[in-house]
Amino acid sequence: MVLGRRTAALAAAAALLLTPALAACSDDEPATGDQVTSVPPPGMTARPPAAEAPEDPAAARAEITRNWQAFFDAGTPAAERVKLLENGEKMRAVLTAFANNPQAAASTAEVTGIEFTSASGADVTYDLKVGGNPVLPDSRGTSVLQDDTWKVSAKTLCGLVKLSGVTVEGC
């Protein structure tokens, strides 16, 4: 019974945050950064060796955290959010609509974990909050290094859109 309530709460939170913005999303090209995950053979690891981390992992973690918080902060202007999203120009319309949504004004993201998958990629664990309350705790997303900036991946944004139950062209 608890699982059903949590699932309903997560879906409602995602719909509350994203549905008003979805009508503005239009893109004929699929999002980049989609990954296929497979189970490694016994004795092999699923993660690349640590040598494939960025040159300065501490600085990269700080930038990822800062950029994720800014991306999900309703006070961040849409033009800045575009710069913090992988291929942000293609997602400009949905970001603008999201920024103008009064219900999204209380949303934030708190990064709780970062694991590098390569020198230009990272798995990010975060809590999506509304009004300071976690609505999607322990969420998983990805960050990519694009144009010398650690950005929220298009895959992550599309995952949140998909969670809302709405199909958006380009995601």
Side-chain angles (χ1 to χ4, degrees):
M1 187 64 152
V2 172
L3 181 61
R5 281 187 276 169
R6 181 171 185 214
T7 302
L10 294 176
L16 173 73
L17 291 172
L18 298 173
T19 300
L22 297 178
C25 186
S26 171
D27 188 357
D28 292 336
E29 297 180 30
T32 61
D34 289 344
Q35 302 174 4
V36 176
T37 305
S38 62
V39 177
M44 302 289 289
T45 61
R47 295 273 180 236
E52 292 191 41
E55 285 184 35
D56 187 347
R61 278 187 182 87
E63 183 179 349
I64 290 168
T65 299
R66 186 175 53 250
N67 290 350
W68 274 62
Q69 288 172 336
F71 180 80
F72 286 101
D73 182 342
T76 302
E80 184 63 25
R81 286 183 181 190
V82 165
K83 295 175 187 175
L84 299 175
L85 178 66
E86 176 189 23
N87 302 322
E89 284 299 326
K90 293 180 180 181
M91 301 296 279
R92 182 178 284 277
V94 73
L95 292 175
T96 300
F98 182 76
N100 293 328
N101 177 354
Q103 295 171 331
S107 69
T108 59
E110 179 183 345
V111 174
T112 58
I114 298 169
E115 276 190 53
F116 292 104
T117 57
S118 71
S120 60
D123 289 336
V124 179
T125 304
Y126 65 102
D127 294 337
L128 187 64
K129 298 180 178 186
V130 173
N133 298 314
V135 292
L136 293 174
D138 296 320
S139 296
R140 307 268 179 193
T142 55
S143 189
V144 296
L145 184 63
Q146 184 180 55
D147 303 324
D148 295 322
T149 301
W150 282 99
K151 301 180 180 189
V152 174
S153 70
K155 176 182 171 182
T156 297
L157 182 60
C158 287
L160 289 170
V161 168
K162 200 179 255 187
L163 183 62
S164 73
V166 177
T167 301
V168 177
E169 193 172 331
C171 278

